[in-house]
């Protein structure tokens, strides 16, 4: 009796799996993997938004001022001390240089997906909203219009409900001005 | 409500059928002869109104599916084609769209009525809990339906709400990817939401049958909250309540028609007439009005995981309501202090809804936190203590006594 | 009932108090249109003029994807005649094909054609204008001229007023923000997404000559095209209001009958 029940139970579980698994991303979705970005087309102080895996990808050409502002923040002040950089190992500190590629600090490449509930943070928000932040972040960064999360000029979470820094996707430099994401 | 049925088939065919499937007796017992307290007021008509709204939504929905295309490239335009080219498409679509709001207006009144008159107390706990489950399934159904027109608010609402699941520790990201069928809300998400939006109303219909079954075991509560003592306290459901409910349903339909014909987009959001754009979030995203109190609770907690937990708890706490309220008196009419707290609670819920519609800035944040705290205090502190501390007013001996006393006063 | 009234007063006081503290973009100018209110209908001549403004001005940059030329003859709309629609449509070039050789070709528009878009895709439209000119089919339902729960209940969302206000709302920027002026943008306090708009002032006095000789100052043309866009967003509005009136009369009679039946049924029972 018990054995028969167990066999039937295992069978039911095995049958259930395909019906659960079919909801996972299908082969065509998984295949949408990489895009190339020409960094020379992004003027200093501006950013472009591309679509990668259905989500917005920010590529920002940071000004010296923005880089300085991000570098001046002590790690202890960060809400999320992890770099969240897919090109590094998890647990690496969220220093400014760990958010970009050393020597190419002016180019910040990251997902434009708020780590709270997935809205697109806005880089061009009116400065009024940023003024509530103290210190360096006044000079730029991102503001999420949905629930008010605020990110600094390195895309690190500084204020609001979002738990993590904006994710840096896997990417590498193909040439001096060209990267491939994914 | 077993016992002997009053239905006696007279014709041989009727008898033959009755012995094989006693459905006529069943309908007669439960929809016509069912003894119902004679003092039910108009707040009790919302059960019938809800049943009508469910049927309206199912019929209009099935018709809309005949013209709708669940694909990210066509969904928005197919809805507009319904509005512009399909014969009476504008009417059916506006009925469905506003029907959802009407459904929620009725369900909120129905729920607050239950709370005021203590309809969740023994022996009706299971009836109440099935009701809470119906409410949860309604919310899921309405949410998925709102995604289908694939406007800006459809898309971003879907993204924000499905992202709630990413707050689950360890497996959150896998769960959201699984729900989306991709790395973002996209065509697979739209397709599965369409499938489930079609399925869930029928699940609701099944739950409604369970709800009525659980209602017909102890019978209706009533404004005095005291149990039926005998046949002198009741009237048969038909014609007394079929007519009273019928009148209330028509009045409700007038209210519904005013919105469908003269303010069809009032309940909706203008931004949803902009097609979905995954690269740009609208300035003020907010859910449909019926979710706003819960949205306010979500936002009032500055931590992702605890915000999500608070939001779900605020609904699930209703399941525990029969045990949180310690008073033995059911009806709020005989609980002078409870009555005050009840209305404060209603105002708090409406105010939370108002906060939910506002951007998360300035004093709205503080008010959201105060009101959220009060929402939970009402259930966890006020209701349990009130039952122990409050002295209720004397109860009438029976429903008939109460009715007669009121008739004398009038 | 008295308690309910107290509750309502309390709720209103609470909302009123919070609502006072609100501030937002400049609300649209409160002009009125013939199609407002439960019995309001479109002014045919105004819609026809609005179409002309749309065609000669707006259509150079903005698409109108949800409309076909045949709609211009629909009941409850501008009510052009079938013949007029045919010749209106023929003034547009439409891409069709492939033909038997597999080639795409251009031909004159037919009433069954959709309004052709000025740009082949959103990217081209953005590149040519510095920002994406939105599709205008639903614009008066997609933009709010003013806010407030009760305000919108009585006055609607003010979509046509928003369009009118943007078209007539170009100003010289106040001195303190004039120096923030971004390259290629214009100051317009009514524009929803911040005060800087990429669209240059589109209308100038006398720009469009109306066949009926109606005045063609910027203000008149803006009003006419706003009315036209109100129709394109809600082409079944007249049918909706008319049907609603009939449905409400029917329901009122039914409610009356139900009330007396209910009263009669309950007459013998104290309750």
């Amino acid at each position: 009796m018990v054995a028969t029940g167990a066999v039937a139970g295992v069978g039911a579980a095995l049958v259930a799996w395909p019906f659960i698994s079919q909801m996972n991303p299908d082969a065509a979705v998984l295949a949408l993997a990489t895009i190339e970005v020409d960094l020379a087309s992004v003027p200093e102080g501006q950013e472009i938004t591309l679509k990668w895996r259905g989500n917005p990808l920010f590529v920002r050409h940071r000004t010296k001022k923005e880089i300085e502002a991000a570098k001046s923040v002590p790690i202890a002040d960060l809400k999320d001390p992890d770099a969240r950089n897919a090109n590094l190992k998890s647990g690496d500190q969220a220093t400014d240089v760990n958010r970009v590629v050393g020597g190419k600090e002016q180019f910040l490449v990251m997902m434009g997906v708020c780590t709270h509930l997935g809205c697109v943070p806005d880089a061009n928000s009116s400065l009024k909203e940023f003024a509530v932040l103290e210190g360096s972040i006044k000079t730029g960064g991102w503001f999420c219009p949905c629930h008010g999360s605020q990110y600094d000029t390195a895309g690190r979470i500084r204020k609001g409900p979002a738990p993590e820094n904006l994710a840096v996707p896997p990417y590498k430099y193909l040439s001096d001005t060209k990267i491939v994401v994914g | 409500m077993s016992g002997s049925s009053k239905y006696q088939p007279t014709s041989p065919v009727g008898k033959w059928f009755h012995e094989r499937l006693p459905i006529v007796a069943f309908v007669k017992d439960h929809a016509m002869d069912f003894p119902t307290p004679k003092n039910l007021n108009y707040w009790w008509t919302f059960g019938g109104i809800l049943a009508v709204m469910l049927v309206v939504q199912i019929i209009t929905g099935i018709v809309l599916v005949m013209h709708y295309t669940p694909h990210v490239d066509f969904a928005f335009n197919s809805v507009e084609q319904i509005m512009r080219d399909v014969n009476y498409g504008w009417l059916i679509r506006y009925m469905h769209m506003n029907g959802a709001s009407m459904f929620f207006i009725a369900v909120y009144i129905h729920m607050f009525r239950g709370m005021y008159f203590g309809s969740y107390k023994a022996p009706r706990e299971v009836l109440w809990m099935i009701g809470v489950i119906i409410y949860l399934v309604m919310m899921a159904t309405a949410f998925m339906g709102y995604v289908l027109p694939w406007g800006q608010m459809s898309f971003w609402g879907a993204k924000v709400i499905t992202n709630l699941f990413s707050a689950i520790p360890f497996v959150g990201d896998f769960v959201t990817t699984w729900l989306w069928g991709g790395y973002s809300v996209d065509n697979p998400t739209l397709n599965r939401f369409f499938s489930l939006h079609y399925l869930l109303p029928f699940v609701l219909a099944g739950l409604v049958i369970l709800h009525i079954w659980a209602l017909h075991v102890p019978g209706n509560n009533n404004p005095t909250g005291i149990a039926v003592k005998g046949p002198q306290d009741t009237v048969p459901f038909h014609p007394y309540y079929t007519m009273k409910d019928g009148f209330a349903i028509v009045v409700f339909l007038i209210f519904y028609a005013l919105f469908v014909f003269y303010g069809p987009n009032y309940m909706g959001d203008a931004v949803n007439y902009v097609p979905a754009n995954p690269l740009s979030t609208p300035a003020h995203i907010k859910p449909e009005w019926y979710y706003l109190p819960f949205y306010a609770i979500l936002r009032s907690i500055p931590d992702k995981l605890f915000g999500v937990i608070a939001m779900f708890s605020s609904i699930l706490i209703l399941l525990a309501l029969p045990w949180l309220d310690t008073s033995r008196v059911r009806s709020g009419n005989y609980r002078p202090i409870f009555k005050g707290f009840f209305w404060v609670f209603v105002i708090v819920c409406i105010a939370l809804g108002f906060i939910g519609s506002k951007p998360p800035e300035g004093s709205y944040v503080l008010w959201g936190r105060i009101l959220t705290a009060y929402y939970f205090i009402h259930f966890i502190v006020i209701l349990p203590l009130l039952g122990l501390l409050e002295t209720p007013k004397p109860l009438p001996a029976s429903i008939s006594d109460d009715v007669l006393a009121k008739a004398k006063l009038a | 009932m008295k308690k309910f009234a107290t509750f309502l007063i309390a709720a209103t006081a609470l909302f009123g108090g919070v609502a006072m503290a609100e501030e937002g973009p400049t609300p649209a100018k409160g002009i009125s249109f013939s199609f407002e209110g439960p019995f309001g209908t479109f002014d045919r001549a105004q819609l026809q003029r609005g179409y002309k403004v749309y065609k000669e001005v707006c259509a150079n940059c903005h698409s109108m994807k949800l409309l076909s030329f045949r709609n211009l003859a629909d009941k409850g709309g501008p009510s052009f005649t079938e013949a007029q629609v045919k010749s209106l449509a023929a003034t547009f070039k439409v891409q069709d094909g492939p033909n038997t050789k597999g080639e795409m070709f251009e031909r004159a528009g037919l009433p069954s054609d959709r309004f052709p878009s000025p740009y082949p895709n959103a990217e081209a439209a953005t590149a040519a204008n510095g920002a994406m000119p939105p599709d205008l089919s639903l614009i008066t339902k997609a933009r709010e001229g003013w806010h407030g729960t009760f305000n919108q209940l009585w006055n609607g969302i003010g979509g046509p007023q928003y369009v009118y206000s943007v078209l007539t709302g170009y100003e010289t920027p106040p001195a303190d923000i004039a120096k923030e002026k971004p390259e290629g943008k214009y100051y317009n306090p009514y524009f929803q997404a911040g005060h800087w708009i990429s669209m240059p002032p589109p209308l100038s006095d006398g720009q469009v000559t109306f066949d009926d000789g109606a005045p063609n100052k910027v203000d008149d043309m803006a009003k006419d095209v706003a009315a036209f866009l109100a129709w394109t967003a809600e082409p079944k509005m007249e049918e909706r209001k008319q049907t609603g009136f009939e449905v409400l009369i029917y329901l009122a009679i039914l409610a009356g009958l139900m009330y007396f039946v209910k009263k009669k049924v309950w007459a013998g029972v104290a309750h």
Side-chain angles (χ1 to χ4, degrees):
Chain A
M1 277 292 276
V2 176
T4 314
V7 171
V10 169
L14 287 175
V15 169
W17 179 244
F19 289 88
I20 294 168
S21 177
Q22 53 81 22
M23 277 176 65
N24 274 317
D26 66 20
V29 171
L30 291 172
L32 293 170
T34 62
I35 54 165
E36 283 184 18
V37 186
D38 180 17
L39 298 176
S41 67
V42 191
E44 185 172 333
Q46 294 201 22
E47 76 185 49
I48 54 169
T49 306
L50 301 155
K51 204 169 167 186
W52 182 63
R53 286 180 157 189
N55 283 309
L57 175 80
F58 290 164
V59 178
R60 185 175 184 85
H61 190 159
R62 300 192 292 174
T63 60
K64 288 232 160 56
K65 218 169 133 197
E66 289 172 6
I67 301 172
E68 286 312 310
K71 282 194 166 154
S72 68
V73 180
I75 295 290
D77 282 7
L78 296 175
K79 187 176 173 187
D80 177 20
D82 192 308
R84 306 287 168 193
N85 185 338
N87 308 292
L88 303 173
K89 51 186 198 301
S90 108
D92 279 357
Q93 281 196 327
T95 55
D96 184 61
V97 73
N98 274 351
R99 300 277 301 160
V100 291
V101 169
K104 288 277 179 193
E105 269 114 336
Q106 67 273 40
F107 290 109
L108 178 60
V109 179
M110 60 185 184
M111 302 307 298
V113 179
C114 181
T115 57
H116 181 226
L117 295 174
C119 297
V120 182
D122 189 354
N124 300 315
S125 268
S126 63
L127 293 166
K128 172 190 96 186
E129 278 149 340
F130 284 86
V132 285
L133 273 180
E134 292 115 38
S136 57
I137 313 172
K138 260 188 220 163
T139 51
W142 286 265
F143 177 82
C144 182
C146 294
H147 306 94
S149 289
Q150 295 175 24
Y151 299 89
D152 66 14
T153 51
R156 295 172 299 195
I157 179 67
R158 302 299 301 279
K159 199 162 186 277
E164 292 176 10
N165 303 326
L166 292 174
V168 176
Y171 72 97
K172 58 176 183 279
Y173 278 85
L174 295 177
S175 69
D176 203 35
T177 58
K178 199 162 230 184
I179 56 167
V180 59
V181 181
Chain B
M1 280 294 121
S2 52
S4 57
S5 172
K6 272 193 250 163
Y7 172 70
Q8 295 299 333
T10 45
S11 71
V13 178
K15 225 174 202 157
W16 180 89
F17 192 73
H18 179 69
E19 279 159 12
R20 281 151 186 84
L21 182 68
I23 191 168
V24 182
F26 182 83
V27 169
K28 189 165 157 54
D29 291 351
H30 285 279
M32 298 182 73
D33 296 343
F34 191 76
T36 311
K38 60 185 183 182
N39 58 341
L40 300 188
N41 54 36
Y42 275 105
W43 297 115
W44 258 265
T45 59
F46 282 88
I49 289 169
L50 282 163
V52 169
M53 286 316 299
L54 179 60
V55 172
V56 168
Q57 289 302 83
I58 289 179
I59 292 174
T60 52
I62 289 173
V63 172
L64 287 173
V65 169
M66 296 179 187
H67 305 278
Y68 170 77
T69 311
H71 187 284
V72 290
D73 294 337
F74 306 110
F76 186 88
N77 286 348
S78 75
V79 171
E80 278 304 317
Q81 193 184 359
I82 292 171
M83 295 293 293
R84 288 157 192 271
D85 289 340
V86 173
N87 300 320
Y88 296 102
W90 59 271
L91 174 63
I92 295 159
R93 195 262 173 144
Y94 276 153
M95 279 174 77
H96 197 71
M97 188 173 139
N98 286 281
S101 282
M102 295 300 133
F103 209 154
F104 275 96
I105 288 174
V107 91
Y108 283 131
I109 295 175
H110 191 64
M111 287 164 76
F112 279 124
R113 187 270 287 157
M115 289 185 187
Y116 181 82
F117 292 105
S119 300
Y120 47 81
K121 291 186 194 182
R124 295 184 183 83
E125 300 96 321
V126 171
L127 169 62
W128 171 260
M129 289 161 80
I130 294 171
V132 175
I133 294 167
I134 289 176
Y135 174 56
L136 280 170
V137 176
M138 264 178 77
M139 298 225 276
T141 311
F143 162 65
M144 294 189 204
Y146 191 69
V147 176
L148 303 185
W150 209 245
Q152 268 289 64
M153 208 56 94
S154 300
F155 180 88
W156 290 101
K159 187 138 192 196
V160 166
I161 300 299
T162 47
N163 250 311
L164 294 177
F165 293 93
S166 70
I168 304 169
F170 309 115
V171 295
D173 287 338
F174 293 101
V175 173
T176 39
T177 306
W178 177 72
L179 284 172
W180 291 337
Y183 302 105
S184 176
V185 171
D186 211 328
N187 199 47
T189 326
L190 177 62
N191 269 291
R192 62 193 54 177
F193 278 15
F194 176 55
S195 167
L196 293 173
H197 182 69
Y198 204 125
L199 166 73
L200 288 181
F202 299 99
V203 173
L204 273 178
L207 285 166
V208 167
I209 290 171
L210 287 183
H211 195 58
I212 296 172
W213 186 0
L215 169 71
H216 279 202
V217 174
N220 293 74
N221 183 28
N222 67 81
T224 65
I226 49 181
V228 168
K229 297 264 158 57
Q232 72 282 4
D233 290 343
T234 66
V235 290
F237 189 78
H238 179 75
Y240 291 93
Y241 285 106
T242 45
M243 290 306 120
K244 188 166 183 170
D245 284 1
F247 169 62
I249 287 165
V250 176
V251 171
F252 191 79
L253 288 180
I254 291 176
F255 178 70
Y256 178 22
L258 283 172
F259 280 98
V260 168
F261 294 107
Y262 296 101
N265 295 303
Y266 177 68
M267 302 278 194
D269 198 301
V271 176
N272 221 31
Y273 281 108
V274 178
N277 178 359
L279 297 186
S280 156
T281 312
H284 294 296
I285 78 154
K286 56 175 199 285
E288 289 291 85
W289 68 267
Y290 33 85
Y291 301 121
L292 288 174
F294 305 106
Y295 192 60
I297 291 174
L298 168 78
R299 294 197 305 190
S300 69
I301 293 176
D303 178 275
K304 184 171 167 180
L305 178 60
F306 286 104
V308 173
I309 290 176
M311 187 186 72
F312 281 111
S313 319
S314 65
I315 303 167
L316 294 177
I317 201 167
L318 293 172
L319 288 171
L321 180 59
W323 296 276
L324 289 171
D325 183 352
T326 50
S327 172
R328 269 174 306 170
V329 176
R330 282 199 196 98
S331 169
N333 281 348
Y334 302 96
R335 300 182 60 191
I337 306 177
F338 167 82
K339 209 188 276 185
F341 278 110
F342 170 81
W343 286 113
V344 171
F345 178 70
V346 173
I347 292 168
V348 165
C349 289
I350 295 172
L352 271 171
F354 177 78
I355 298 288
S357 75
K358 292 289 150 197
E361 331 167 312
S363 64
Y364 296 129
V365 177
L366 178 68
W367 273 107
R369 288 185 185 156
I370 294 171
L371 294 168
T372 299
Y374 186 88
Y375 181 95
F376 285 104
I377 288 170
H378 176 81
F379 286 107
I380 298 172
V381 180
I382 296 175
L383 283 183
L385 286 184
L386 216 52
L388 305 174
L389 302 177
E390 181 185 40
T391 318
K393 288 199 233 166
L395 293 173
S398 73
I399 294 173
S400 296
D401 275 11
D402 184 57
V403 166
L404 289 175
K406 281 206 183 111
K408 241 179 240 161
L409 276 177
Chain C
M1 243 19 236
K2 215 171 86 192
K3 290 220 179 64
F4 189 64
T6 332
F7 153 69
L8 273 184
I9 291 164
T12 322
L14 185 79
F15 283 1
V18 187
M20 289 295 180
E22 215 179 330
E23 57 165 302
T26 312
K29 302 173 188 173
I31 59 162
S32 57
F33 286 99
S34 65
F35 49 82
E36 287 164 358
F39 300 103
T41 53
F42 291 115
D43 173 349
R44 313 284 157 222
Q46 187 176 41
L47 292 192
Q48 297 199 357
R49 293 196 300 271
Y51 168 75
K52 197 158 188 209
V53 176
Y54 160 76
K55 199 209 155 174
E56 292 183 11
V57 184
C58 315
N60 292 319
C61 303
H62 291 272
S63 60
M64 177 83 85
K65 288 182 180 156
L66 297 174
L67 249 73
S68 304
F69 295 114
R70 63 182 161 81
N71 295 129
L72 294 170
D74 284 350
K75 230 181 110 203
S79 298
F80 285 106
T81 63
E82 300 280 343
Q84 279 174 313
V85 170
K86 248 188 196 159
S87 55
L88 282 175
T91 59
F92 287 85
K93 285 262 171 291
V94 175
Q95 202 188 40
D96 202 348
N99 60 17
T100 45
K101 289 185 198 134
E103 291 156 350
M104 305 303 279
F105 58 93
E106 282 207 334
R107 58 163 172 78
L110 294 170
S112 57
D113 285 323
R114 299 239 168 187
F115 281 41
S117 302
Y119 299 100
N121 50 52
E123 284 74 12
T126 312
N129 294 287
M132 168 76 191
D135 186 89
L136 293 182
S137 321
L138 283 165
I139 202 78
T140 57
K141 271 160 89 179
R143 297 286 188 277
E144 294 170 291
W146 43 64
H147 294 84
T149 309
F150 296 107
N151 185 20
Q152 291 198 345
L153 181 58
W154 299 121
N155 302 318
I157 63 167
Q161 283 85 353
Y162 174 81
V163 170
Y164 167 82
S165 302
V166 168
L167 290 176
T168 59
Y170 288 86
E171 290 172 12
T172 2
D176 54 326
I177 54 171
K179 48 185 184 298
E180 291 170 17
K181 182 178 184 295
E183 195 61 37
K185 301 230 176 195
Y186 304 85
Y187 182 76
N188 191 326
Y190 299 96
F191 183 53
Q192 197 177 46
H195 298 331
W196 299 105
I197 185 168
S198 299
M199 173 170 72
L203 298 172
S204 55
D205 287 347
Q207 191 174 358
V208 178
T209 315
F210 294 125
D211 307 336
D212 60 0
N216 57 357
K217 292 251 185 287
V218 167
D219 188 72
D220 306 307
M221 290 185 288
K223 231 180 250 176
D224 292 346
V225 80
F228 175 69
L229 293 174
W231 169 74
T232 63
E234 190 74 0
K236 304 287 178 165
M237 186 208 72
E238 292 188 7
E239 189 185 350
R240 166 161 65 76
K241 288 178 182 172
Q242 175 68 30
T243 315
F245 185 63
E246 289 155 14
V247 167
L248 283 174
I249 288 181
Y250 163 78
L251 284 174
I253 293 170
L254 182 61
L257 291 173
M258 287 294 297
Y259 179 72
F260 287 111
V261 170
K262 182 244 150 195
K263 235 184 146 162
K264 196 164 169 230
V265 165
W266 281 86
V269 185
H271 61 280

